[in-house]
Amino acid sequence: MSFTSLPDLALRSLGGAVVAANDESFAEKESLIRPGRPGFRAETFGNKGQVYDGWETRRRREPGHDWAVVRLGLPGVIRGVVIDTAWFKGNYPPHASVEASADLETWVEIVPRSELKGDAEHLFEVDDERRYTHVRLNIYPDGGVARLRVHGEVRADLSVYDGLSLDLAALANGGLVTSCSNQFYSSPNNVIAPGLSRHQAEGWETARRRTEGNDWLVIRLAGRGVIRLAEIDTTNLIHNAPGWVSLTGLDGPREIELLPRTPLQPDAPHRFRLTDAPPVTHVRVDIYPDGGLARVRLHGHVTPET
């Protein structure tokens, strides 16, 4: 599985922020973590020249290099970084490196100084099991970068929920979709993202199934826990919502039925109380036969470690 299938921990819509940059003379630093592909319109000029959907510094006339610091919206273990120079063709930096920190005092190089090309995505795998909260993009010596993607696994501090219930599936709490049958239209991790989906692309939607069977995804919970309430949301999915859903808990080799096959309505939130459910580590969400879900919330308690 490519690291790019993991959540972008720096994404603005997940709470990321570009907290500092030494220069942003031509294009603002905040564009680095903007959702979606970079855009471009030729011969679109502002007071500072051609308008770019990215971060661009002035032409450096002295020694040194430019940099930008990003606070991760979701702290965690970084599995890979994408540096995208889309549309920057005569003004991209020839080299870049990335550092990471958990305290803004000690910085660890996770991507060494590497060559970049113009108008291209550059993928760098990261082999480091430490939890980080910030990254710093260094460009040598100056130029423009359209997007910085920091893919990884969330490592949340769940101690704040001691004695309280929480959404065990939430991406922000450390939940992760580890597998799914089909992600033709959109990422399955969208169903555990923060907030409500504003349109179909912010949920999970499969291709139309033309064979027997059904589509499904598996969520690794933030921790082994007991689920008391399941929320299945089909908002914005009007003619492509599944007809039914079921939930199966997984705990080692055991499979436990949490919710039998149950009808769903299109474009609507659904809430199901689960009684006498044992602790599980993963939940399989089956939709019948195909379609899409906006969000899946699995509320409950983390089981104390024994």
Side-chain angles (χ1 to χ4, degrees), residues 108-129:
V108 177
E109 187 176 72
I110 58 173
V111 176
R113 181 166 171 162
S114 303
E115 183 178 356
L116 300 183
K117 299 184 183 301
D119 194 26
E121 287 186 313
H122 306 80
L123 278 64
F124 303 99
E125 290 192 14
V126 175
D127 183 13
D128 190 329
E129 294 298 321

Side-chain angles (χ1 to χ4, degrees), residues 12 14 52 59 61 82 92 125 140 145 149 151 184 197 203 217 221-222 232 235 263 273 292 306:
R12 179 60 181 167
L14 294 181
Y52 280 92
R59 298 185 186 222
R61 303 305 189 198
V82 180
Y92 65 93
E125 290 192 14
Y140 305 92
V145 174
R149 304 303 189 198
H151 296 278
F184 186 84
S197 65
L217 57 78
L221 303 181
I232 309 295
T235 297
R273 288 291 300 267
T306 57

Side-chain angles (χ1 to χ4, degrees), residues 136-251:
R136 180 164 59 198
L137 171 64
N138 301 302
I139 58 174
Y140 305 92
D142 55 43
V145 174
R147 296 288 189 271
L148 175 68
R149 304 303 189 198
V150 184
H151 296 278
E153 299 179 39
V154 178
R155 294 290 186 268
D157 178 9
L158 298 184
S159 64
V160 296
Y161 291 104
D162 285 349
L164 304 174
S165 64
L166 73 158
D167 180 0
L168 293 165
L171 186 63
N173 292 335
L176 183 70
V177 175
T178 57
S179 59
C180 78
S181 60
N182 186 281
Q183 51 182 322
F184 186 84
Y185 286 109
S186 48
S187 170
N189 273 304
N190 287 351
V191 299
I192 58 174
L196 301 175
S197 65
R198 296 170 297 175
H199 47 72
Q200 290 182 27
E202 291 189 350
W204 166 56
E205 185 181 358
T206 72
R208 298 193 186 205
R209 176 170 284 272
R210 304 305 189 190
T211 58
E212 294 297 319
N214 68 282
D215 288 318
W216 52 268
L217 57 78
V218 174
I219 301 171
R220 186 190 71 200
L221 303 181
R224 186 172 185 262
V226 175
I227 301 169
R228 297 302 187 196
L229 173 68
E231 296 186 35
I232 309 295
D233 189 359
T234 61
T235 297
N236 302 313
L237 297 148
I238 300 173
H239 301 293
N240 46 2
W244 302 265
V245 68
S246 68
L247 302 176
T248 303
L250 308 174
D251 190 47

Side-chain angles (χ1 to χ4, degrees), residues 29-74:
K29 62 185 185 299
E30 287 78 11
S31 298
L32 279 171
I33 58 173
R34 186 177 294 159
R37 294 287 303 144
F40 183 78
R41 291 180 62 189
E43 300 182 2
T44 304
F45 292 93
N47 294 331
K48 298 179 180 180
Q50 171 67 48
V51 176
Y52 280 92
D53 182 8
W55 168 55
E56 185 183 5
T57 68
R58 82 276 185 255
R59 298 185 186 222
R60 177 173 283 274
R61 303 305 189 198
E62 65 283 341
H65 68 277
D66 293 327
W67 53 266
V69 174
V70 176
R71 185 193 70 224
L72 301 180
L74 301 175

